[in-house]
């Protein structure tokens, strides 16, 4: 236990680890603040911004929660009217709120593709649900609630997860290679069971930090978005909330997508840790370990863009830097179980081969 605590201390008290960790925290706090600050809504001619806009949208949407119907759509337009103001280089209708934007985008004859003449049309008439893209939900009923925070929550998780993967690389790349570089491995080998005990202490400390950081990041993010955006409407179809991938996400709720992405994200963290441990156990010095882990982290995105065929894309898309991107999780959603199997296989093989590499007698 003392050796395990010592390994935790060694990993977490390097200056590079502390500085990069602090920078990630500050950046994610700033990113969340900007997400909230960018919110805008207009209700009965009054503009609201930031946190107040979110609360106003939540307030007016509460009246219409439940199964969405044509009657609710008509009531929304009767109360708030169709949006009609378009401002160049500002996405979306400038005089809309959450309710009117939802109805206009899916149940009206209006559209907004750009800011030039002919690229948008001011809505004038409602379209019945039976004649719209929402017709597929008529039989089961379309649940409706304020969902303004869900995509921002996924975006926030994605940015943080990418940064955490880089942080884990900084933490764990030199886990074993540092002992070789400094000659400490020779000393460790002279003690009774020193190599074995040190091995499991290092691995245990690495995965403890990985799980703790991953779970803490996800929990804090969820609580922040829950407090500000509410994160209601988890039973709404993800394709309506995200606004894309309609064919893939037609029968997947935004809550299910968020849970699936969270599981994959945590698995990606564990995989990143296992890969860093494995590389470090083989590397002769810190430079080799960091360089190799950097290539493993950054090369797959380039391969993913140029690969063809679902099997090849699955292989390249099942590495940590791509697994934490929720667009990739959506595209490969039908292969969710295979992705989990790949993660499990990398964990087992990484730890097993790391043990073999560390226990192996070499020229030291």
């Amino acid at each position: 236990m003392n050796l395990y605590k010592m390994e935790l201390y060694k990993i977490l008290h390097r200056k590079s680890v502390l500085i990069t960790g602090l920078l990630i925290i500050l950046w994610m706090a700033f990113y969340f603040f900007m997400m909230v600050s960018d919110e805008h809504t207009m209700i009965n001619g009054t503009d609201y911004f930031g946190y107040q806009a979110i609360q106003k949208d939540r307030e007016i949407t509460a009246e219409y929660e439940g199964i969405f119907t044509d009657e609710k759509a008509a009531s929304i337009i009767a109360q708030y009217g169709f949006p009609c103001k378009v401002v160049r280089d500002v996405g979306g209708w400038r005089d809309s709120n959450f309710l009117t934007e939802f109805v206009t985008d899916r149940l009206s004859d209006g559209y907004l593709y750009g800011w030039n003449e002919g690229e948008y049309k001011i809505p004038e008439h409602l379209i019945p649900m039976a004649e719209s893209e929402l017709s597929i939900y008529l039989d089961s009923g379309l649940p409706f609630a304020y969902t303004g925070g869900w995509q921002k929550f996924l975006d926030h998780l994605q940015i943080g997860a990418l940064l955490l993967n880089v942080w884990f690389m900084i933490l764990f790349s030199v886990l074993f290679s540092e002992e070789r570089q400094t000659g400490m491995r020779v000393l460790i080998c002279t003690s009774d069971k020193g190599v074995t005990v040190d091995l499991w202490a290092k691995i245990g400390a690495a995965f403890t930090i990985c799980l703790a950081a991953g779970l803490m990041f996800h929990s804090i993010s969820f609580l922040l978005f829950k407090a500000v955006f509410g994160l209601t409407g988890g039973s709404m179809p993800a394709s309506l909330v995200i606004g894309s991938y309609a064919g893939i996400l037609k029968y997947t709720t935004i809550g299910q997508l968020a849970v699936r992405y969270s599981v994959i994200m945590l698995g990606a963290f564990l995989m990143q840790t296992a890969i860093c441990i494995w590389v470090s156990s083989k590397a002769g010095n810190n430079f080799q370990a960091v360089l190799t882990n950097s290539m493993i982290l950054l090369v797959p995105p380039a391969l993913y863009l140029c690969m063809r065929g679902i099997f090849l894309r699955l292989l390249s898309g099942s590495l940590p830097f791509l697994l934490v991107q929720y667009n990739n999780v959506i595209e490969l959603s039908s292969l969710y179980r295979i992705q989990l199997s790949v993660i499990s296989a990398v964990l087992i093989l990484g730890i097993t081969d790391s043990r073999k590499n560390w226990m192996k007698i070499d020229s030291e």
Side-chain angles (χ1 to χ4, degrees), residues 102-139:
F102 181 87
V103 174
T104 300
D105 288 347
R106 297 168 180 86
L107 294 172
S108 81
D109 59 346
Y111 54 84
L112 177 58
Y113 305 129
W115 302 279
N116 299 317
E117 187 175 347
E119 294 180 333
Y120 69 89
K121 179 183 183 299
I122 304 300
E124 298 176 353
H125 305 288
L126 281 171
I127 297 173
M129 288 181 65
E131 299 174 15
S132 72
E133 64 181 48
L134 303 184
S135 60
I136 59 174
Y137 303 111
L138 283 175
D139 292 338

Side-chain angles (χ1 to χ4, degrees), residues 165-293:
N165 264 339
V166 175
W167 192 60
F168 291 147
M169 187 194 72
I170 295 171
L171 261 71
F172 308 133
S173 287
V174 300
L175 192 67
F176 290 107
S177 60
E178 188 174 39
E179 309 291 11
R180 281 197 172 95
Q181 181 169 292
T182 60
M184 283 298 295
R185 185 175 181 276
V186 178
L187 182 60
I188 293 171
C189 290
T190 60
S191 60
D192 184 35
K193 298 183 179 180
V195 177
T196 304
V197 174
D198 188 67
L199 167 78
W200 295 117
K202 289 179 182 296
I203 291 176
F207 280 107
T208 298
I209 294 169
C210 170
L211 285 172
L215 291 172
M216 189 180 300
F217 163 67
H218 187 280
S219 300
I220 292 174
S221 297
F222 178 80
L223 292 174
L224 281 173
F225 278 86
K226 180 71 174 174
V228 175
F229 290 92
L231 293 185
T232 54
S235 58
M236 280 190 67
S239 59
L240 298 182
V241 178
I242 294 178
S244 58
Y245 301 102
I248 301 175
L249 299 177
K250 189 163 50 178
Y251 300 111
T252 302
T253 68
I254 188 62
Q256 290 171 336
L257 176 62
V259 170
R260 180 176 297 179
Y261 176 57
S262 299
V263 172
I264 289 290
M265 181 182 69
L266 187 59
F269 291 159
L270 294 172
M271 182 191 288
Q272 178 67 39
T273 301
I275 291 172
C276 286
I277 290 173
W278 175 72
V279 170
S280 186
S281 71
K282 293 183 72 69
N285 55 64
N286 292 343
F287 177 76
Q288 282 182 3
V290 172
L291 180 62
T292 304
N293 276 317

Side-chain angles (χ1 to χ4, degrees), residues 134-151:
L134 303 184
S135 60
I136 59 174
Y137 303 111
L138 283 175
D139 292 338
S140 58
L142 174 64
F144 181 73
Y146 177 72
T147 56
W150 280 106
Q151 182 162 2

Side-chain angles (χ1 to χ4, degrees), residues 1-18:
M1 182 58 73
N2 288 335
L3 190 57
Y4 166 77
K5 291 180 180 178
M6 186 180 72
E7 290 297 336
L8 285 174
Y9 182 87
K10 282 172 60 180
I11 294 172
L12 293 174
H13 281 74
R14 292 199 301 269
K15 285 185 178 180
S16 59
V17 170
L18 295 173

